[in-house]
Amino acid sequence: MTGSGIAVSADSLVSFLFISTYLCASLVLCLKLLPRLSRSGKRLASVMLAAQVIVIVMSLVTGPKGDFQAWLWSIGNEWTIESVLSSTQFALVGLVALLISWLDTAERPWRRLYIAATAMLFLFLGLDEYFAWKNYIYFWTVSYFAVGILFATFKLIVIETSPGPARQWLIVLVLGAATVALGGIVFDNFMPSICDVNLGFIRLDGCANYNLFEELLELFGGWIAALAVLMRLKEVIPSESARVRWILYTFPALWILLLLQSDAIHPLKDQMNCQPAAVEFESGVALPCYQTKLGANHLTLNLYISQRDWDFQQLGYSLNIVDQASGESIASQDKMLNEQQEFYVTPGFAPAYRQWAAIPLPANKPVNRALSIVLSIWRKEGDKFPRQRIVASDHQTIGDTQVVLGEVVFPPETTSSAFGVFRNGFILVAVEMPTTAQPGDRMPITFFWASEKDANEDYSQFLHLRHEASGEWWVYDQQPLGPRLPTRLWYSGFSDSEVWHVPLPDDLAPGRYEAFTGLYGMRGEQRVPVKSAGGQPWPNARARLGVLTIES
């Protein structure tokens, strides 16, 4: 006790009051409605309520999220036991509503159609509760609110036109749907914060966490809706057949199996069609998978980051687009790791959170240069941001703190026309070469290149000089555009040029030389066949450039 009263945690007090109300309301509904259910209905309702109590107790016992067990029993995360239970309840409501619309032949056709539509709505809620589809719907709160208003309006019409005994299950169903809406929309978006409130002799310290209430209301509302439809099923078929009991008992198990076979627990590379990786940093952060997409003004990346110890505190990441030739970064972005974004389960039940980043590209971005996408992880320590050391990687690394996720090249806005075509789709458009040179010169030659196809292999280019009198050869090789853009990154529609400064030997014999050029693969060293502008093959896969005179 202090001078201003007894200090009580706001979160603990509000949670205690809410859970107490939840348990009391459950007891009242059990006493009032369970006697009106069939034997199988009572069993299903009792099992679902018992499962809810177990989830609540286990979530409180395991405490804050810190390991796999805590995540498994937590209330509010994706793909936990709570989300599976809530999804199964919604799906069961949908199944029983479908049975009612099918078996209740004495009901008016339009009312049976409405009950079937209600069943479809709850089946969708069951899938959405597990897969979180609402995260992909723009302004999902408004959309769900509008659907809820439409559902409630039609339900009131159905209630108003129903005879007295038939209204009760509809009223209970509306109560369940309203409880779900209260948790999913009101508590999630419109509840005011309760922080550091003084209530006279009691002072509430800290803030109340509404996430628990939101999920419990959805769980409780689904159970109330299940009571409603099971109550109506007993009225439609007072004596359940063995087939109906079999359906009611086996459907929840089949639904759970369906969820467990979903993409949620498949490898990330299969879920998201992303590039697999095996990169681990010293803090326990791992990168199992990523996606890259090049746009006109942004380079977009989805990183799927997992943490061995579930500890994302003060962790962040940096993305850089680095020029391979100069080592300079032309664009970058720094962000804190966010564990509130989309969640996935990787093999071994390691959590992976999607990190989304869009790196803005400079207006004067370099074209036709080999650029690397580089990732580093850091932890904020005061005003410093030391990088995390990489302890394992199946990708190329830069030093011991940066990993290369891929390569990218920005094309120019214009392309060149064809002159001579190599079999691999490369085109030597034109050549600018001097007619004379001196021994020891660094002779400039400009090659103009284009490509009709995407490339995936590195090629080297040769320059051959053949002395007309002696027949002796002098050779010089390098990549067509030097180190700034390897040919593996050339693409369909590519065009660029490169000035070679060829170092002629000091003892190069004077005289006339025929000049030739061509390409060969850097792995197999096989020359690439090439045709002239007229379509005739060049002998020995060497395109003739002209004559060069070496002066004495």
Side-chain angles (χ1 to χ4, degrees):
M1 179 180 292
T2 65
S4 57
I6 301 174
V8 179
S9 167
D11 191 30
S12 299
L13 178 61
V14 175
S15 298
F16 172 77
L17 294 175
F18 184 86
I19 292 176
S20 299
T21 304
Y22 170 87
L23 295 176
C24 291
S26 301
L27 180 61
V28 170
L29 288 174
C30 285
L31 295 175
K32 293 288 186 180
L33 300 181
L34 280 185
R36 303 184 59 178
L37 306 184
S38 64
R39 180 179 299 177
S40 58
K42 291 177 183 178
R43 290 173 179 172
L44 280 173
S46 300
V47 169
M48 287 189 293
L49 182 60
Q52 291 182 36
V53 173
I54 291 173
V55 168
I56 294 172
V57 171
M58 291 300 296
S59 67
L60 297 176
V61 170
T62 53
K65 183 177 67 177
D67 53 26
F68 173 72
Q69 182 184 7
W71 162 76
L72 188 65
W73 291 102
S74 67
I75 296 179
N77 281 326
E78 305 295 343
W79 296 313
T80 61
I81 291 179
E82 180 271 332
S83 66
V84 171
L85 175 60
S86 185
S87 172
T88 304
Q89 285 187 161
F90 285 142
L92 182 64
V93 173
L95 170 75
V96 177
L98 281 178
L99 288 175
I100 293 170
S101 67
W102 177 36
L103 297 173
D104 194 2
T105 55
E107 190 61 89
R108 297 176 184 177
W110 71 270
R111 291 164 62 88
R112 295 175 67 185
L113 183 62
Y114 177 74
I115 294 173
T118 301
M120 294 297 103
L121 175 62
F122 274 92
L123 286 172
F124 171 80
L125 289 176
L127 293 170
D128 179 62
E129 178 65 20
Y130 187 76
F131 295 106
W133 287 343
K134 60 178 175 287
N135 294 334
Y136 302 94
I137 301 176
Y138 193 58
F139 288 137
W140 73 268
T141 304
V142 177
S143 302
Y144 276 42
F145 185 75
V147 172
I149 292 295
L150 188 64
F151 169 81
T153 301
F154 276 98
K155 184 64 71 177
L156 291 175
I157 295 174
V158 174
I159 292 175
E160 185 63 27
T161 58
S162 299
R167 292 182 178 182
Q168 296 182 9
W169 82 275
L170 293 171
I171 293 173
V172 176
L173 182 61
V174 169
L175 176 63
T179 305
V180 172
L182 180 66
I185 297 178
V186 177
F187 266 85
D188 193 28
N189 296 276
F190 303 111
M191 285 297 293
S193 60
I194 300 177
C195 297
D196 300 321
V197 178
N198 195 335
L199 302 177
F201 67 94
I202 295 179
R203 188 182 75 252
L204 301 183
D205 290 343
C207 298
N209 178 17
Y210 291 129
N211 188 51
L212 174 67
F213 312 149
E214 169 201 342
E215 298 299 331
L216 285 182
L217 282 172
E218 291 184 3
L219 198 63
F220 189 49
W223 182 69
I224 296 175
L227 290 178
V229 293
L230 289 171
M231 184 169 63
R232 179 56 179 169
L233 185 64
K234 170 69 180 304
E235 296 170 354
V236 173
I237 44 174
S239 300
E240 284 182 348
S241 65
R243 177 180 298 180
V244 172
R245 286 196 299 272
W246 183 85
I247 293 174
L248 292 178
Y249 288 150
T250 58
F251 178 78
L254 293 175
W255 183 265
I256 293 173
L257 288 176
L258 171 67
L259 298 182
L260 295 180
Q261 288 300 315
S262 69
D263 284 344
I265 59 173
H266 290 173
L268 275 174
K269 65 181 181 65
D270 296 334
Q271 292 182 53
M272 308 307 302
N273 191 29
C274 57
Q275 177 67 34
V279 183
E280 185 174 354
F281 296 82
E282 62 181 334
S283 60
V285 169
L287 177 71
C289 168
Y290 64 91
Q291 295 166 308
T292 61
K293 182 179 181 181
L294 179 62
N297 302 309
H298 293 80
L299 177 66
T300 303
L301 291 100
N302 286 320
L303 306 174
Y304 297 86
I305 300 290
S306 66
Q307 228 290 357
R308 183 177 56 231
D309 299 324
W310 299 68
D311 178 17
F312 285 85
Q313 280 295 105
Q314 302 301 310
L315 281 173
Y317 63 96
S318 296
L319 289 165
N320 286 270
I321 302 177
V322 179
D323 189 317
Q324 293 182 8
S326 67
E328 295 181 358
S329 175
I330 67 161
S332 64
Q333 189 170 89
D334 303 314
K335 297 182 74 173
M336 298 297 294
L337 286 175
N338 186 353
E339 58 178 320
Q340 302 304 318
Q341 299 192 42
E342 296 170 34
F343 173 79
Y344 299 86
V345 179
T346 63
F349 294 96
Y353 293 89
R354 183 179 72 90
Q355 313 295 320
W356 178 85
I359 305 177
L361 303 175
N364 60 341
K365 57 183 180 291
V367 299
N368 291 337
R369 297 188 69 87
L371 306 172
S372 297
I373 305 170
V374 179
L375 167 71
S376 59
I377 302 292
W378 41 263
R379 189 186 293 277
K380 184 179 179 182
E381 298 177 358
D383 57 351
K384 297 182 179 180
F385 303 86
R387 290 176 179 172
Q388 298 284 301
R389 186 173 57 86
I390 299 170
V391 297
S393 176
D394 63 345
H395 281 47
Q396 176 189 351
T397 60
I398 301 176
D400 61 354
T401 60
Q402 295 178 294
V403 60
V404 178
L405 299 184
E407 298 176 306
V408 66
V409 56
F410 301 130
E413 296 181 357
T414 59
T415 59
S416 302
S417 59
F419 171 72
V421 180
F422 288 80
R423 181 176 291 178
N424 64 355
F426 292 174
I427 304 166
L428 181 59
V429 179
V431 178
E432 293 180 357
M433 184 180 69
T435 57
T436 62
Q438 298 284 337
D441 282 353
R442 293 185 62 83
M443 180 179 65
I445 302 180
T446 304
F447 293 97
F448 296 85
W449 286 98
S451 180
E452 296 178 329
K453 300 178 181 178
D454 292 339
N456 57 10
E457 184 177 347
D458 283 326
Y459 293 92
S460 188
Q461 181 184 353
F462 60 80
L463 173 66
H464 290 180
L465 300 180
R466 178 182 177 276
H467 197 283
E468 289 185 347
S470 67
E472 293 185 358
W473 292 86
W474 181 82
V475 300
Y476 178 78
D477 295 20
Q478 73 168 51
Q479 296 181 74
L481 298 185
R484 69 180 174 92
L485 186 63
T487 58
R488 65 178 180 274
L489 297 177
W490 290 16
Y491 48 88
S492 178
F494 163 86
S495 66
D496 203 348
S497 63
E498 180 73 8
V499 180
W500 287 21
H501 295 279
V502 181
L504 298 176
D506 294 333
D507 58 353
L508 188 63
R512 286 168 51 89
Y513 287 81
E514 283 188 292
F516 301 87
T517 193
L519 298 172
Y520 62 88
M522 295 179 66
R523 286 184 297 183
E525 297 188 354
Q526 293 293 321
R527 290 185 185 178
V528 182
V530 59
K531 295 181 179 181
S532 66
Q536 297 299 316
W538 288 105
N540 299 317
R542 289 188 296 213
R544 186 176 185 275
L545 304 179
V547 176
L548 172 69
T549 299
I550 301 298
E551 299 175 340
S552 57

